[in-house]
Amino acid sequence: WMNDPNGFSYFNGKWHLFYQWYPFAGYHGMKHWYHVVSDDLVHWKNIGLGTKPTLNYDNYGCFSGSGFVKNEFLYLVYTGNHKEEDGSIIQYQMIAAIDEENHLTKLKRPIIQPQQGYIDEHQRDPKIFFENGTYYILMGAQNEEKQGKMLIYKSSQIATGWTFVSELKVKGYDSFGFMVECPCIQKIGDKWLLLFSPQGLEKEEEAFLNAYSNVYFVGDLDLETMTFTPDGPMKELDKGFDFYASQTAFQAEQNDKAILEGWFGCSDYSYPVTESEGWAGLQTLARELTIEDGKLIQRPVKALETIKDELVFDAEGHGVDFVFRYCNDEMAVVEGVPVSEMLNRSFYEVFENGDKKWLVTYADVALNGNKHILHDYSPEIDKTLTIYCFQPAPGYCACVLIPS
């Protein structure tokens, strides 16, 4: 099982990514960190175990956290998930350091204790950043009124001296659902990007429809008053079903962009197919984030160009397609021939025109659930295609087109 990206950083000439890992089964369990590295954010090499529960303070899992590079060390700030004998959970913020040989050393005591006024079990996911000579940690929490909040701590040193400052106030918003997970803050140019994964947002007509969403603001951060002033409303970073707990990388090379990784999954979802096979979870492709004309722009990292092969599909309809078609009342009669009658004839007997042949295929698949394997010629790419058509849901036809 894998979930949240953790400790994402550019260190010692490589991109280092950790992720939440339960090595014994394809479902949530006691969390470890797994470690991979890359030269280009596309091709990744397994390093192996990053860290595991070894201390009393993380005896029930090493939960999510972030990275910071200083003095030839990659510092990893994470949540120690501690379980008491009575079964209650207390979450502490811990720190470890990795040297240039990938050897990890943990500090054996917490750098941040649970804060009063917030639920002990729900203070986690520290994001460390540095601004104007001071280190800060932003983390998610749930207060005693069961509201999702973000907390700010500061220190003059990485491994000691952390003190609670206040909640991070977001102008126009009192709270975010019942819990905030995996907050992340990144300065891009002269603007700040605030990312987080709130749980319990009210659903809107076309927003926040998943179990939990990954959202963001672009705006300004005042570290004197601990206030974030958004330039616009809260938006979803990705409207796909499976995107959560995203994190930007620590990197000091470019201040006009950020590099993002996310969990290709979501809390409280089940993945029965992969879970039954002993694994579950993916990391997304890395994204490059910029702020242009006040808007957040997301692009695939440029190195993905190196693995492109032949054209598959483009916005103009050229190439090979993955298409969905719906069989509805308008298709009940095509060219004066009832669909039911078409289904009893061969495609070419009814329509010699290839386009009409497709309509018959869609009708048969969508109405009857039959599968079809066809061969056709695509003038757009000048190739013969093999077409696999199947029914993903009643009334629908899905076709996958592959060059023969």
Side-chain angles (χ1 to χ4, degrees):
W1 172 276
M2 72 158 69
N3 54 291
D4 308 356
N6 294 157
F8 191 22
S9 304
Y10 189 76
F11 169 62
N12 197 25
K14 293 184 182 295
W15 296 97
H16 290 252
L17 177 67
F18 303 81
Y19 56 78
Q20 290 283 278
W21 181 49
Y22 181 53
F24 306 114
Y27 48 77
H28 278 289
M30 186 179 292
K31 294 303 167 58
H32 301 49
W33 282 27
Y34 196 82
H35 186 190
V36 296
V37 299
S38 175
D39 293 320
D40 60 3
L41 296 166
V42 175
H43 303 89
W44 293 90
K45 177 183 177 182
N46 291 314
I47 299 300
L49 175 69
T51 188
K52 64 181 180 179
T54 57
L55 306 173
N56 182 49
Y57 293 106
D58 60 20
N59 67 0
Y60 205 54
C62 298
F63 276 21
S64 289
S66 57
F68 192 93
V69 176
K70 184 181 180 183
N71 296 337
E72 300 179 349
F73 286 94
L74 169 56
Y75 291 91
L76 302 173
V77 182
Y78 71 97
T79 295
N81 201 44
H82 169 80
K83 189 173 186 177
E84 298 272 69
E85 291 184 2
D86 62 4
S88 61
I89 299 294
I90 303 173
Q91 294 186 333
Y92 300 93
Q93 311 317 309
M94 313 293 294
I95 193 167
I98 287 183
D99 63 20
E100 293 181 343
E101 301 299 322
N102 291 325
H103 298 141
L104 181 140
T105 303
K106 287 184 182 180
L107 189 66
K108 295 182 179 181
R109 54 177 173 76
I111 59 171
I112 295 176
Q113 299 277 345
Q115 180 64 30
Q116 290 186 350
Y118 302 88
I119 305 301
D120 287 348
E121 187 176 354
H122 296 305
Q123 301 181 44
R124 57 179 173 267
D125 308 336
K127 171 64 177 181
I128 184 170
F129 65 103
F130 183 80
E131 184 71 9
N132 296 330
T134 300
Y135 295 98
Y136 296 92
I137 282 179
L138 174 68
M139 53 188 283
Q142 181 186 79
N143 67 12
E144 293 177 345
E145 288 73 44
K146 302 294 179 69
Q147 297 173 316
K149 299 286 187 175
M150 287 176 273
L151 310 181
I152 289 276
Y153 295 77
K154 70 177 183 179
S155 176
S156 60
Q157 303 178 62
I158 293 180
T160 189
W162 289 95
T163 58
F164 177 64
V165 181
S166 71
E167 291 180 3
L168 177 65
K169 298 178 284 293
V170 180
K171 278 194 174 181
Y173 297 83
D174 179 59
S175 60
F176 300 94
F178 59 79
M179 176 64 190
V180 169
E181 291 193 315
C182 302
C184 181
I185 193 159
Q186 176 82 42
K187 195 172 187 180
I188 303 177
D190 60 357
K191 284 291 182 180
W192 287 87
L193 174 66
L194 176 62
L195 305 166
F196 54 103
S197 296
Q199 298 182 334
L201 292 181
E202 291 188 10
K203 298 183 185 301
E204 298 179 5
E205 185 175 355
E206 295 184 357
F208 317 126
L209 300 180
N210 292 336
Y212 304 124
S213 298
N214 203 159
V215 302
Y216 75 92
F217 293 107
V218 172
D220 298 303
L221 176 65
D222 185 339
L223 289 169
E224 294 296 323
T225 63
M226 295 300 161
T227 301
F228 189 93
T229 304
D231 291 343
M234 180 170 62
K235 296 181 179 179
E236 290 175 288
L237 193 61
D238 191 302
K239 288 183 179 291
F241 296 127
D242 300 291
F243 188 87
Y244 193 73
S246 65
Q247 180 177 107
T248 59
F250 174 87
Q251 52 92 17
E253 285 67 28
Q254 298 171 315
N255 62 13
D256 61 344
K257 64 184 64 175
I259 304 297
L260 182 87
E261 276 282 356
W263 172 30
F264 206 146
C266 187
S267 293
D268 294 346
Y269 278 4
S270 178
Y271 300 90
V273 175
T274 52
E275 286 174 12
S276 67
E277 295 179 357
W279 70 275
L282 296 168
Q283 299 296 307
T284 66
L285 295 174
R287 306 179 187 188
E288 179 184 282
L289 308 183
T290 56
I291 297 175
E292 301 173 19
D293 297 325
K295 295 181 179 180
L296 177 67
I297 305 298
Q298 306 181 62
R299 298 182 177 93
V301 293
K302 292 180 179 179
L304 285 169
E305 297 284 341
T306 64
I307 61 172
K308 281 187 175 180
D309 200 344
E310 296 182 64
L311 174 68
V312 175
F313 184 68
D314 65 20
E316 285 71 42
H318 303 132
V320 184
D321 199 357
F322 178 80
V323 295
F324 283 88
R325 295 290 184 266
Y326 180 54
C327 183
N328 54 25
D329 292 340
E330 295 177 0
M331 288 181 59
V333 176
V334 181
E335 294 291 313
V337 180
V339 170
S340 58
E341 186 176 338
M342 287 194 299
L343 299 181
N344 295 323
R345 308 186 191 182
S346 73
F347 300 148
Y348 293 102
E349 180 184 351
V350 178
F351 296 117
E352 294 182 1
N353 182 298
D355 292 340
K356 304 304 179 184
K357 176 183 67 177
W358 279 97
L359 291 177
V360 180
T361 304
Y362 297 148
D364 187 26
V365 175
L367 292 178
N368 298 331
N370 292 326
K371 297 179 181 179
H372 287 279
I373 300 178
L374 305 174
H375 301 279
D376 206 347
Y377 174 75
S378 169
E380 288 86 356
I381 61 171
D382 190 26
K383 285 189 177 181
T384 298
L385 305 176
T386 298
I387 304 106
Y388 300 87
C389 296
F390 60 96
Q391 186 189 73
Y396 287 86
C397 171
C399 296
V400 182
L401 290 72
I402 302 173
S404 297

